[in-house]
Amino acid sequence: MISTKVKPTLSRYGNSLRYRDFRWVMLGSLGGQSAYWALIIARGVLVLEMTGSSALVGVATFAAMVPRFLMPPVAGYLADRFDRRTVLVVAYVLQFFNVLALAGLAFADLLTVGILIALSLLNGTFRAFQMTATQALVPNLVSKDDLLNAIALNQLSLQGARLVGPALIAPALFLGGTSAAFLACAVLYVLSIVCVTAIHTRSTGALTKGAGMLQSLVEAGTYSWSDPQLRVLFILIALHCAMTMSFETILPVLSQEVLSNPENANTLMMAVGGGALIGVLAISGTRKANSRGMILLITGALSGASMLILAMARDLPTSMLGAGAMGATQAAFMAIAGAMVQSLAPDAMRGRITGFSHIIIGGTMAVLNLVNGFAADAIGVSNVLWILGLGFTAIVVASLAIGPLRNIYRGVAPVPAAAG
């Protein structure tokens, strides 16, 4: 009796896991993303301890994120020009050596804020290649019918890493300090390297014969902007990432100002990750186009509204509740939106279009994390959360007046379309 109920549920929510190479990609992504989010917290805590400046925490976070505003077009070109699995392996290896250098300097007491920011910039650069190659590769590993589920589960590894990464480094952070936490992140990158080297699938895109990198990028950019569905989705995703997902700078500051302990930022990030796991799992079995559209609308509005819980919180349990709600709604929104974008992108230029999406996601998050650091100093961290949360909720309501988005919400437009 139990097996007859459990089997269809597993098939619906985890069907992509039957593909061997997808399992390795997802596990490798979990390791790499866990290391990244753990580094965000550990670096933020260290900078705050060294300087007492939330603005400099914002600068360090900005440095780790801003490459996603600059490098994804190049990463997308490489993911279409070369074997995507090879690009992914190289990206993980470079991240491993980067964090190993960070840990070594920290243990030797030679790490300055300037060096930390420079290494953050390099780490973010390598991660831009990692994420672009991963998202371009995933649709090559599963059937088009399982694409939404695969993208949702890959998003699960990204968002769940907000829980796993901080949780795994928590003992090192509290017992050995940030130096030990950095070393733990290096171990996570080793896991990613091992997993990705086990992938058998080889795939590349297709560039116009004789076209250089600039021409190839212009071709993909023109295609993305001329498609009305991709265009409005990119704009909505940009606003979502800018206003609801740029909280990495805010968490250490809120933990210090409201909760009186900056290391509680690690706990709040874990709450975001836990909520993200629930949110992505809840929508991973969705198959109807009209259901996806309504989920996009509802989770978008709730992404802004959930920030108000964190803005009002004055104790750790309430703050964790707000952080968890943010993680659940934001992850569900990004999983649905990401599936729509990937499904609409032809495989021949999926790497480049994925690169453009990462500019939108990473660039807006990088800039707003920098702005939020200075804004928290100027008007207070709770006020920043109020402004951003109410602002994005209002934008989602207003988006109902935009024809292409309204059609997507209603499921009238063919979203997601068959994978290229």
Side-chain angles (χ1 to χ4, degrees), residues 81-397:
R81 172 68 178 81
F82 299 104
D83 173 39
R84 290 163 178 167
R85 178 237 190 214
T86 300
V87 175
L88 190 54
V89 171
V90 172
Y92 279 129
V93 169
L94 291 174
Q95 287 176 94
F96 165 73
F97 283 112
N98 174 272
V99 75
L100 196 63
L102 180 66
L105 290 171
F107 275 114
D109 200 23
L110 297 174
L111 189 62
T112 65
V113 173
I115 294 175
L116 184 145
I117 290 173
L119 289 174
S120 298
L121 185 66
L122 282 174
N123 179 259
T125 300
F126 304 145
R127 181 175 181 256
F129 286 86
Q130 167 213 320
M131 294 191 67
T132 303
T134 298
Q135 292 194 12
L137 179 61
V138 164
N140 300 131
L141 307 180
V142 302
S143 71
K144 66 181 182 181
D145 292 335
D146 293 320
L147 181 57
L148 173 59
N149 181 253
I151 291 173
L153 292 181
N154 186 57
Q155 188 71 212
L156 183 70
S157 68
L158 169 61
Q159 301 296 341
R162 296 175 186 264
L163 167 64
V164 175
L168 289 177
I169 70 159
L173 185 62
F174 284 99
L175 298 176
T178 51
S179 301
F182 294 148
L183 192 59
C185 292
V187 175
L188 289 172
Y189 281 125
V190 171
L191 170 65
S192 297
I193 295 168
V194 171
C195 291
V196 174
T197 52
I199 297 171
H200 292 162
T201 302
R202 298 291 187 272
S203 68
T204 61
L207 304 178
T208 301
K209 188 175 182 179
M213 182 174 70
L214 181 59
Q215 182 179 343
S216 298
L217 292 174
V218 170
E219 178 187 14
T222 301
Y223 179 92
S224 301
W225 187 255
S226 64
D227 186 294
Q229 294 180 74
L230 280 173
R231 184 170 64 247
V232 295
L233 280 171
F234 279 163
I235 293 172
L236 186 63
I237 289 170
L239 291 170
H240 177 265
C241 292
M243 301 182 73
T244 75
M245 296 186 68
S246 303
F247 55 77
E248 286 82 2
T249 297
I250 289 176
L251 294 186
V253 181
L254 182 139
S255 297
Q256 178 171 274
E257 292 185 1
V258 178
L259 305 178
S260 303
N261 185 354
E263 292 185 351
N264 279 328
N266 197 60
T267 303
L268 294 182
M269 185 64 84
M270 290 169 60
V272 172
L277 288 172
I278 296 171
V280 174
L281 281 174
I283 59 93
S284 63
T286 305
R287 294 185 178 273
K288 296 181 180 179
N290 58 342
S291 298
R292 295 168 185 154
M294 288 306 299
I295 291 172
L296 188 74
L297 173 65
I298 293 169
T299 56
L302 292 178
S303 290
S306 61
M307 298 178 73
L308 307 183
I309 301 174
L310 194 60
M312 294 183 289
R314 292 296 177 267
D315 56 59
L316 184 58
T318 309
S319 298
M320 291 178 65
L321 176 64
M326 287 168 55
T329 53
Q330 292 168 8
F333 176 94
M334 291 302 293
I336 289 291
M340 291 177 176
V341 170
Q342 291 292 331
S343 296
L344 291 168
D347 188 59
M349 58 178 67
R350 181 173 285 119
R352 284 162 286 167
I353 291 177
T354 299
F356 288 124
S357 72
H358 280 298
I359 287 181
I360 293 168
I361 296 170
T364 52
M365 289 175 65
V367 172
L368 264 293
N369 264 292
L370 179 62
V371 171
N372 288 342
F374 287 93
D377 277 343
I379 64 175
V381 66
S382 296
N383 289 330
V384 172
L385 288 167
W386 275 105
I387 292 170
L388 295 177
L390 289 174
F392 187 71
T393 301
I395 287 172
V396 172
V397 173

